[in-house]
């Protein structure tokens, strides 16, 4: 079958690979319909290896060259022995975590914190391919008829669901989001669906600010500095959610939240940064991490939000192309092209 594999930094190839195997015990095989390209795929291309396995992964045994892609929707084609509740033809989204089931985190059902977690597209063959064979637990069926392209956004939306869960959002609370990429705009929609009051988005790119207003943001602001200087909008939020992955914005986020407020970090800052600890202590600001998603909590909720149209996942799709062009019109475009009007690029086997 055709697939896109990561070989090394700057070396991602569309190539012919061995077909996804027939499903074994507790597995299903899925015909991929759509797979999104994520910021982490871009990071592996430009600066990797970051998370992608270059040595055999302790849980899965897979390593590069490896099929990338982890934002997948598809149709079940084959069901392995011992699988209940899934049937060929069913439209599903794939939660990408594969976990050990044995460690303390797994025993507490905090599977996103597993000691040995693996993930499709990073340490297990991913979704930029014609087919995948995965644990059946990972395949969450659409809860109502839905377009398969929108369903491919379930993974980023599940990250947003977890962030809102971690924020302990209460009805009517004011939320400020830092960063208006796919995750930031998904957090905006999930916050509103969860009953947030005014939501403000901070984002330098005009296209993304416009999209945020169309999706119901009460206000948009160009930079954190504008908020800290007291422009009004976004200031004194009950909750600030940082989706940038920058190591400088968490400090600014803790400055703009109200006393006693919560700051949730969703982006992945790879560099350490500075925080004003005195500000955390004297204003009782809580700093909270939010990592990935749990399949039967966050991911299931994301699938349902999309299927019930309480969020508009398709509004985040700006480009679609085929596997043949996944590098030239996908990953390389994100790396080198003008991305001022790009949010989610989706790839189909074509
Ligand atoms: Zn992703
Ligand atoms: Zn575990």
């Amino acid at each position: 079958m055709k697939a896109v594999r990561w070989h090394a930094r700057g070396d991602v190839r569309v190539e012919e690979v061995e077909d996804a195997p027939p499903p074994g015990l507790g597995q299903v095989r899925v015909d991929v319909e759509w797979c999104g390209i994520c910021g982490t795929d871009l990071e592996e291309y430009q600066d990797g290896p970051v998370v992608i396995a270059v040595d055999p992964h302790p849980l899965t045994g897979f390593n590069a060259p490896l099929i990338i892609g982890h934002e997948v929707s598809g149709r079940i084609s084959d069901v392995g022995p011992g699988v209940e509740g899934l049937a060929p033809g069913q439209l599903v989204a794939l939660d990408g975590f594969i976990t050990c089931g044995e460690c303390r985190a797994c025993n507490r059902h905090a599977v996103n914190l597993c000691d040995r977690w693996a993930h499709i597209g990073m340490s297990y063959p991913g979704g930029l391919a014609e087919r995948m064979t995965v644990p059946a637990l990972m395949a969450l069926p659409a809860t109502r008829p839905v377009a398969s392209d929108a369903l491919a956004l379930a993974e980023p939306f599940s990250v947003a669901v977890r962030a809102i869960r971690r924020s302990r959002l209460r009805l009517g609370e004011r939320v400020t989001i830092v960063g208006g990429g796919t995750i930031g705009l998904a957090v905006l929609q999930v916050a509103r669906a969860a009953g947030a009051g005014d939501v403000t988005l901070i984002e330098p790119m005009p296209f993304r600010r416009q999209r945020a207003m169309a999706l119901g943001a009460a206000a948009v602001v160009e930079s954190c500095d504008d908020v800290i200087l007291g422009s009004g909008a976004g200031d004194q939020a009950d909750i600030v959610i940082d989706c940038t992955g920058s190591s400088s914005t968490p400090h600014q986020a803790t400055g703009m939240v109200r006393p006693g407020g919560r700051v949730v970090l969703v982006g992945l800052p790879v560099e350490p940064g500075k925080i004003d600890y005195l500000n955390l202590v004297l204003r009782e600001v809580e700093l909270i991490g939010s990592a990935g998603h749990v399949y039967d909590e966050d991911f299931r909720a994301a699938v349902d939000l999309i299927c019930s149209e309480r969020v508009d996942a398709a509004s985040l799709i700006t480009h679609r192309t085929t596997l043949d062009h996944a590098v030239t019109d996908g990953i390389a475009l994100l790396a080198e092209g003008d991305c001022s009007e790009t949010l989610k690029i989706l790839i189909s086997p074509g």
Side-chain angles (χ1 to χ4, degrees), residues 59 99-107 110-111 113-117:
L59 193 59
T99 55
C100 79
E102 294 167 356
C103 70
R104 284 182 67 187
C106 282
N107 280 325
V111 291
L113 307 179
C114 172
D115 282 348
R116 288 189 291 160
W117 66 269

Side-chain angles (χ1 to χ4, degrees), residues 1-323:
M1 66 173 178
K2 202 174 285 177
V4 178
R5 293 202 299 179
W6 185 95
H7 285 255
R9 181 182 307 172
D11 182 4
V12 171
R13 306 177 199 169
V14 182
E15 53 195 358
E16 205 55 42
V17 302
E18 224 173 279
D19 202 353
L25 184 67
Q27 290 184 323
V28 291
R29 186 158 52 185
V30 173
D31 290 331
V32 175
E33 297 228 339
W34 292 99
C35 179
I37 298 179
C38 173
T40 48
D41 298 318
L42 182 64
E43 207 181 347
E44 296 291 356
Y45 176 72
Q46 288 182 305
D47 306 312
V50 182
V51 178
I52 202 158
V54 281
D55 299 315
H57 188 275
L59 193 59
T60 65
F62 285 100
N63 62 310
L66 195 78
I67 304 171
I68 55 173
H70 60 263
E71 302 178 354
V72 190
S73 68
R75 281 191 195 275
I76 300 210
S77 61
D78 309 273
V79 175
V83 174
E84 282 171 25
L86 293 173
Q90 227 170 350
L91 181 63
V92 295
L94 301 184
D95 174 292
F97 273 97
I98 298 169
T99 55
C100 79
E102 294 167 356
C103 70
R104 284 182 67 187
C106 282
N107 280 325
R108 286 168 34 236
H109 200 67
V111 291
N112 59 323
L113 307 179
C114 172
D115 282 348
R116 288 189 291 160
W117 66 269
H119 204 283
I120 61 170
M122 297 168 202
S123 33
Y124 188 91
L128 286 175
E130 293 180 62
R131 280 173 291 284
M132 300 173 71
T133 300
V134 295
L137 274 182
M138 190 191 274
L140 283 104
T143 50
R144 297 180 205 193
V146 65
S148 61
D149 55 354
L151 195 62
L153 275 289
E155 200 272 345
F157 270 90
S158 74
V159 170
V161 168
R162 180 148 201 91
I164 294 300
R165 222 190 266 289
R166 295 283 294 156
S167 79
R168 311 194 305 279
L169 173 74
R170 286 184 299 247
L171 201 63
E173 283 190 316
R174 298 170 64 215
V175 178
T176 294
I177 298 164
V178 190
T182 301
I183 298 292
L185 293 174
V187 168
L188 161 66
Q189 297 184 61
V190 174
R192 283 174 46 80
D198 284 355
V199 181
T200 299
L201 186 103
I202 304 174
E203 163 60 47
M205 289 190 199
F207 171 76
R208 294 176 172 190
R209 289 201 302 272
Q210 284 158 14
R211 205 41 72 103
M213 288 306 284
L215 289 167
V220 288
V221 178
E222 231 177 290
S223 95
C224 291
D225 297 332
D226 300 339
V227 174
I228 288 171
L229 291 173
S231 70
D235 202 5
Q236 298 285 303
D238 299 290
I239 295 166
V240 177
I241 302 184
D242 188 337
C243 306
T244 62
S246 148
S247 35
S248 60
T249 47
H251 168 68
Q252 296 177 296
T254 57
M256 68 179 81
V257 76
R258 70 158 163 83
R262 288 94 74 199
V263 173
V264 179
L265 305 185
V266 188
L268 300 173
V270 285
E271 299 293 331
K274 277 189 185 160
I275 295 271
D276 180 352
Y277 297 112
L278 199 59
N279 176 44
L280 293 188
V281 176
L282 294 181
R283 296 173 70 242
E284 289 195 341
V285 170
E286 277 184 70
L287 190 57
I288 301 168
S290 183
H293 36 87
V294 174
Y295 66 96
D296 58 349
E297 296 171 4
D298 312 311
F299 206 92
R300 181 183 287 167
V303 167
D304 200 42
L305 283 170
I306 292 171
C307 293
S308 61
E309 295 180 347
R310 277 173 290 163
V311 295
D312 182 1
S315 68
L316 305 186
I317 305 168
T318 52
H319 299 71
R320 293 174 177 82
T321 187
T322 59
L323 270 181

